[in-house]
């Protein structure tokens, strides 16, 4: 005999948390970025918080970041499949189809699984009536996949996967190298580790990785280790004890360039998330005091977490770098690292959403902020001291031109060359992103004249 469902059971079932749908969450993140202007750093962690399995978190990140890298091409191909745009309440389904098309073209997820999971996502997105559309569009694109892959795109933003304004700036600044920069920006970023030299040699670290079955190689003369295959770094031997950290090859130069000495008082300006703060302490354990400043309290929490994991100490201040007298104790510093806020055009491969969130007009505004901070922080440096100015940008307005103007305006500031071509006409060291190397980064080292 059939029994009618018990209303109490129905109520209990309704109160249970529903299982997450990864494709629905990917669609939500994608639309949050392209329509609402959220960064991936804001939207993705919220979605990942619903998953305990690291593999699910990794797949969610791969889909979202992949869509951002390939956005113009995916969007162009998808729109050609739709008889009318998906707008309004249906807009989330555009994100779902972008996620599905990316998986079909660029991942090893079986096509039947992509289609089935995307169709199921309609329930999680409260659009059950759109199952047929999602199924039909994705199956059609699956059948035409070879054509979609081979299709030639003529419009530059679609062809290069870069917005027009940025492409023009790269072509103007690097007429011979812009295509290499674009190619590196569109590639998957390598995974770099930083060895903690205060507890082990780099050779010892690589030997430990090898014993754990992780293929790794030393790069350069410093602390950098390149992993052949990305992995869950928390499972690496010694990572949770602070023996290893994640940090790009180019970013690791800061601790070497600042040349801290025993007894130095060091300031890290715009310090979050704290990788450079920790590296300077590892590089020179006899620093008398490390002070790290950042504008946002939440980002300072990341600095403290990194310090705690490695077992390091620093004085943290939440404050505006352009108004140091609000937090400075009037004791000058021997060394200052100013990792200035910038366009992040050197780390696009790690933050592909920035290509679509950033605007051309932002560059002049950022350059003004950088100038204000540099002028405000300079008095905090002792006579004879060293300041290293750094950005993860490849744009001259934020880098060499910024430092050239500062040197002209500041009589007691002198260029301390990093390399032979580092001269006052084009000061500093500009690193461009390399497909198998470091990110795009800029460094300039300045010294203050003795009074």
């Amino acid at each position: 005999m059939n029994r009618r469902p018990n209303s109490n059971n129905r109520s209990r079932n309704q109160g249970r948390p529903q299982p997450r749908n990864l494709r629905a969450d990917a669609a939500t993140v994608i639309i949050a970025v392209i329509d609402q202007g959220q960064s991936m750093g804001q939207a993705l962690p919220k979605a990942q918080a619903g998953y305990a399995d690291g593999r699910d978190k990794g797949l969610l990140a791969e889909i979202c970041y992949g869509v951002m890298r390939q956005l113009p091409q995916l969007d162009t191909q998808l729109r050609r499949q739709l008889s009318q745009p998906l707008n309004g309440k249906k807009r989330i389904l555009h994100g779902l189809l972008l996620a599905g098309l990316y998986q079909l073209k660029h991942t090893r997820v079986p096509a039947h699984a992509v289609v089935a999971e995307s169709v199921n996502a309609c329930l999680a997105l409260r659009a059950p009536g759109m199952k047929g559309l999602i199924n039909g569009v994705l199956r059609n694109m699956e059948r035409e996949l070879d054509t979609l892959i081979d299709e030639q795109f003529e419009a530059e933003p679609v062809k290069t996967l870069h917005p027009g304004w940025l492409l023009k700036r790269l072509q103007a600044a690097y007429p011979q190298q812009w295509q290499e920069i674009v190619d590196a920006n569109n590639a998957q970023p390598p995974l770099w580790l930083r060895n903690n030299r205060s507890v082990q040699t780099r050779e010892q670290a690589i030997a430990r990785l090898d014993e754990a079955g992780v293929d790794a190689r030393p790069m350069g003369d410093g602390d950098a280790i390149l992993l052949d295959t990305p992995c869950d770094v928390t499972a690496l031997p010694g990572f949770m004890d602070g023996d290893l950290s994640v940090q790009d090859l180019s970013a690791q130069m800061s601790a070497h360039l600042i040349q801290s000495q025993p007894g130095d008082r060091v300031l890290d300006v715009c310090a979050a998330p704290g990788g450079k703060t920790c590296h300077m302490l590892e590089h020179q354990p006899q620093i008398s005091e490390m002070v790290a400043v950042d504008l946002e309290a939440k980002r300072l929490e990341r600095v403290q977490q990194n310090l705690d994991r490695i077992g390091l100490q620093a004085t943290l201040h939440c404050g505006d770098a352009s108004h140091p007298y609000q937090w400075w104790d009037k004791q000058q510093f021997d060394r200052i690292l100013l990792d200035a806020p910038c366009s992040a055009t050197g780390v696009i491969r790690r933050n592909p959403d920035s290509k679509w969130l950033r605007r051309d007009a932002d560059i002049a505004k950022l350059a003004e902020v950088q100038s204000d901070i540099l002028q405000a922080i300079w008095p905090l440096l002792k006579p004879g001291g060293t300041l290293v100015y750094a950005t993860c940008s490849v744009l001259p307005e934020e880098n060499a031109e910024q430092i050239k103007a500062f040197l002209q305006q500041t009589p007691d500031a002198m260029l301390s060359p990093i390399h032979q071509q580092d001269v006052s006409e084009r000061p500093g060291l500009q690193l461009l992103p390399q497909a198998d190397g470091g990110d795009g980064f800029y460094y300039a080292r300045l010294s203050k004249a003795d009074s």
Side-chain angles (χ1 to χ4, degrees):
M1 182 176 69
N2 293 331
R3 295 180 179 273
R4 299 178 63 185
N6 185 288
S7 59
N8 291 332
N9 288 338
R10 286 203 307 271
S11 298
R12 283 196 293 269
N13 289 337
Q14 290 171 357
R16 292 174 184 167
Q18 297 299 309
R20 303 297 295 262
N21 184 288
L22 192 144
R23 274 71 181 182
D25 285 331
T28 302
V29 172
I30 290 164
I31 293 302
V33 174
I34 63 177
D35 282 7
Q36 299 166 18
Q38 292 187 38
S39 71
M40 194 74 78
Q42 295 171 306
L44 181 60
K46 294 177 186 176
Q48 287 179 316
Y51 298 89
D53 192 323
R55 291 170 297 182
D56 288 336
K57 290 182 178 182
L59 179 57
L60 180 58
E62 180 185 356
I63 293 172
C64 294
Y65 277 106
V67 168
M68 291 305 137
R69 286 193 183 92
Q70 305 290 331
L71 183 60
Q73 291 185 8
L74 297 175
D75 199 56
T76 299
Q77 291 163 340
L78 175 56
R79 289 179 185 278
R80 291 175 182 173
Q81 298 288 323
L82 298 171
S83 58
Q84 58 184 5
L86 293 169
N87 295 323
K89 292 182 179 179
K90 297 179 181 178
R91 180 63 174 167
I92 190 70
L93 300 175
H94 189 86
L96 180 61
L97 287 169
L98 287 172
L101 179 54
Y102 171 76
Q103 292 168 82
L104 289 174
K105 289 187 64 177
H106 300 287
T107 73
R108 296 180 180 179
V109 179
H112 66 85
V114 173
V115 176
E117 290 299 324
S118 299
V119 169
N120 289 337
C122 291
L123 297 176
L125 295 173
R126 299 181 181 179
M130 302 303 290
K131 281 180 163 185
L133 173 69
I134 300 300
N135 181 70
V137 170
L138 288 179
R139 287 198 180 280
N140 192 45
M141 288 194 288
E142 179 193 353
R143 286 191 294 270
E144 299 179 7
L145 197 56
D146 290 339
T147 304
L148 291 173
I149 291 173
D150 296 334
E151 186 173 3
Q152 297 297 310
F153 298 100
E154 296 302 325
E156 286 291 4
V158 180
K159 183 179 178 181
T160 64
L161 303 175
H162 280 59
W165 71 266
L166 178 56
L167 196 63
K168 288 178 182 177
R169 283 183 177 270
L170 293 176
Q171 290 170 335
Y174 306 101
Q176 306 301 319
Q177 300 157 294
W178 69 268
Q179 185 64 59
E180 295 175 18
I181 298 172
V182 164
D183 291 344
N185 287 348
N186 292 336
Q188 290 274 2
L191 178 54
W192 291 97
L193 300 178
R194 183 187 77 238
N195 176 56
N196 184 348
R197 62 167 57 191
S198 67
V199 297
Q200 63 185 356
T201 67
R202 184 166 59 171
E203 290 70 26
Q204 289 171 331
I206 292 175
R208 292 175 69 185
L209 291 169
D210 184 60
E211 288 176 9
V214 179
D215 293 327
R217 293 174 282 153
M219 295 293 286
D221 299 326
D223 306 307
I225 298 172
L226 176 63
L227 295 191
D228 289 344
T229 304
C231 64
D232 177 7
V233 295
T234 61
L236 295 176
F239 183 87
M240 297 308 295
D241 298 322
D243 300 348
L244 295 169
S245 298
V246 175
Q247 189 176 38
D248 180 77
L249 174 67
S250 299
Q252 292 187 39
M253 287 189 65
S254 56
H256 301 274
L257 292 176
I258 203 162
Q259 299 176 333
S260 296
Q261 302 299 309
D264 278 352
R265 189 169 193 247
V266 182
L267 172 64
D268 189 357
V269 184
C270 309
K276 298 180 185 68
T277 307
C278 294
H279 193 196
M280 286 188 286
L281 287 165
E282 293 170 1
H283 202 264
Q284 179 49 265
Q286 297 181 52
I287 288 173
S288 67
E289 183 184 17
M290 170 65 73
V291 178
V293 178
D294 202 87
L295 182 61
E296 298 180 23
K298 209 156 192 56
R299 285 171 55 80
L300 270 181
E301 292 176 9
R302 292 279 309 280
V303 180
Q304 189 61 60
Q305 289 167 4
N306 279 314
L307 290 166
D308 291 343
R309 179 178 62 84
I310 302 173
L312 300 170
Q313 298 291 326
T315 302
L316 306 187
H317 290 299
C318 183
D320 187 342
S322 61
H323 295 89
Y325 288 90
Q326 296 175 356
W327 47 264
W328 182 40
D329 64 1
K330 309 303 185 294
Q331 301 296 312
Q332 288 181 309
F333 296 89
D334 301 279
R335 315 276 166 171
I336 297 177
L337 173 63
L338 170 52
D339 191 0
C342 70
S343 62
T345 45
V347 292
I348 284 174
R349 61 185 180 180
R350 300 189 187 279
N351 305 285
D353 53 316
S354 66
K355 291 186 291 187
W356 319 118
L357 297 175
R358 187 71 69 194
R359 298 290 180 266
D360 190 34
D362 295 340
I363 306 307
K365 295 175 184 176
L366 285 165
E368 185 176 351
V369 170
Q370 293 155 2
S371 178
D372 289 345
I373 294 176
L374 191 50
Q375 294 285 351
I377 290 296
W378 187 251
L380 279 61
L381 183 66
K382 287 181 181 179
T386 297
L387 181 146
V388 171
Y389 174 89
T391 76
C392 54
S393 169
V394 296
L395 301 181
E397 295 88 341
E398 303 178 89
N399 297 336
E401 292 179 15
Q402 183 74 256
I403 295 301
K404 183 177 179 180
F406 179 76
L407 289 169
Q408 291 171 346
Q409 299 163 7
T410 314
D412 60 348
M414 300 175 293
L415 187 66
S416 179
I418 297 171
H419 61 101
Q420 255 186 342
Q421 286 74 40
D422 185 358
V423 293
S424 57
E425 290 76 23
R426 193 173 179 83
L429 171 64
Q430 180 68 68
L431 302 171
L432 300 179
Q434 302 292 321
D436 297 318
D439 291 337
F441 236 85
Y442 173 82
Y443 290 102
R445 187 167 56 198
L446 308 176
S447 59
K448 183 180 254 188
D450 288 314
S451 54

